[in-house]
Amino acid sequence: MNIKRIAIIGTGSMGGAILSGLLKSGFNPDNVSVSTKSTDSAERLTDEVGVLSFAMENGDDANQMAVAGANVVLICVKPAYVTEVLADIADSLDDNALVISVAAGVTTSAMEKVLPEDVGVVRAMPNTPSIVGRGLTGISAGSRATDWAVETAVQLFETVGKTLVLDESKIDALSTISGSGPAYVFYLIEQLTSAAKHQGFNDEEAALLVNETFLGAAELLVSSKKTPEALRKQVTSPNGTTERAIARMTETDLQKMFIEATDAALARAKELAAGK
């Protein structure tokens, strides 16, 4: 991996997932430094995984200390705090360091404005399945990012799943599909579980039926190499029960609903980028 030393600013669910994936890939914890809010969290990370940890509770310079000597810095704080954190660490960054942000709505140009001119910026949009190593991360290069910077970001996020390198103009649209997508799937699971209960199954039975059906269908899709349409038709016998159910779903125009839903998510992403 092209990373000599990495600093992770913010070790919540996503920062923690990436840290876990990085270490599982064989990266030496001695070459990782992190910053957290609490002393307890910092001590736990040091004791459990062996990384160098700094807590904001112990001093306002925790982020600055964490990035010292790192050639790659991963920003995993909430979008509202990204530029503030970058301004805080700007003078502590190594020459030609790479900064990668996972914050939604914060553009590479906005980040570049508060960082030294020799610092490259990459914007990444991972999703929550990264926590279990099945993530999909969109990666976009800033104007100063080199091929090395993009390759390094790809290597980093491949420790928690798959990656897709794309122009930044598409990153917000990607967030409406793979970023928000797990929530759409969970919502569908919720609704089908309610339908199972309506058909007389108890909570435990309904959860087993629906959860295993979604898991099995997803694994079948991956292993079969067939399209979702082909697999759907394979299950849908002429004049059968599935065909009747699909016909009812078609009447509700689910395609239009999903397009409108993702359009709404994209509009909100643009509002966030504009600071609204």
Side-chain angles (χ1 to χ4, degrees):
M1 190 172 290
N2 294 326
I3 301 172
K4 295 178 181 178
R5 182 171 190 83
I6 184 171
I8 301 177
I9 308 301
T11 51
S13 58
M14 190 55 66
I18 298 166
L19 173 61
S20 177
L22 183 65
L23 297 180
K24 285 179 180 178
S25 74
F27 194 81
N28 189 340
D30 290 341
N31 296 326
V32 181
S33 54
V34 303
S35 66
T36 70
K37 286 184 178 181
S38 71
T39 302
D40 287 346
S41 177
E43 291 178 348
R44 177 180 56 80
L45 287 168
T46 297
D47 293 342
E48 293 183 3
V49 298
V51 299
L52 184 62
S53 303
F54 301 94
M56 298 296 291
E57 282 184 350
N58 293 337
D60 294 337
D61 60 349
N63 291 338
Q64 298 168 18
M65 294 176 69
V67 304
N71 69 323
V72 176
V73 177
L74 183 62
I75 307 296
C76 297
V77 300
K78 293 180 179 180
Y81 303 120
V82 170
T83 54
E84 177 184 337
V85 168
L86 293 180
D88 178 47
I89 65 174
D91 293 337
S92 301
L93 293 169
D94 274 19
D95 294 341
N96 302 307
L98 167 62
V99 171
I100 304 172
S101 169
V102 301
V106 184
T107 64
T108 56
S109 62
M111 291 185 277
E112 288 171 346
K113 288 178 181 178
V114 295
L115 292 172
E117 291 186 358
D118 64 326
V119 172
V121 173
V122 168
R123 185 176 170 191
M125 184 59 62
N127 60 7
T128 54
S130 298
I131 296 171
V132 293
R134 294 302 302 267
L136 187 286
T137 303
I139 294 173
S140 299
S143 65
R144 303 196 296 251
T146 62
D147 290 343
W148 170 86
V150 175
E151 180 184 349
T152 299
V154 168
Q155 291 178 343
L156 175 60
F157 286 96
E158 282 183 345
T159 67
V160 291
K162 298 183 181 297
T163 60
L164 177 63
V165 178
L166 70 169
D167 188 87
E168 190 173 4
S169 64
K170 293 183 178 180
I171 198 80
D172 286 335
L174 175 138
S175 75
T176 73
I177 305 300
S178 62
S180 299
Y184 309 156
V185 174
F186 299 144
Y187 185 69
L188 291 173
I189 291 173
E190 286 182 67
Q191 302 314 310
L192 189 55
T193 301
S194 293
K197 293 177 184 178
H198 171 76
Q199 297 299 337
F201 296 100
N202 62 35
D203 289 354
E204 184 177 349
E205 292 168 339
L208 178 64
L209 287 171
V210 177
N211 295 353
E212 290 302 311
T213 297
F214 268 79
L215 178 61
E219 290 186 352
L220 177 60
L221 176 63
V222 172
S223 64
S224 71
K225 308 299 183 182
K226 295 181 180 179
T227 66
E229 180 182 12
L231 290 172
R232 172 178 59 79
K233 289 181 177 179
Q234 185 176 308
V235 180
T236 310
S237 303
N239 299 315
T241 57
T242 305
E243 184 181 68
R244 183 69 61 86
I246 294 294
R248 180 66 185 87
M249 293 180 190
T250 302
E251 289 176 6
T252 66
D253 202 346
L254 288 179
Q255 182 184 52
K256 179 181 179 182
M257 182 272 289
F258 273 106
I259 290 173
E260 291 178 348
T262 54
D263 281 348
L266 181 57
R268 180 54 183 150
K270 291 179 178 178
E271 290 175 354
L272 289 172
K276 297 181 180 178

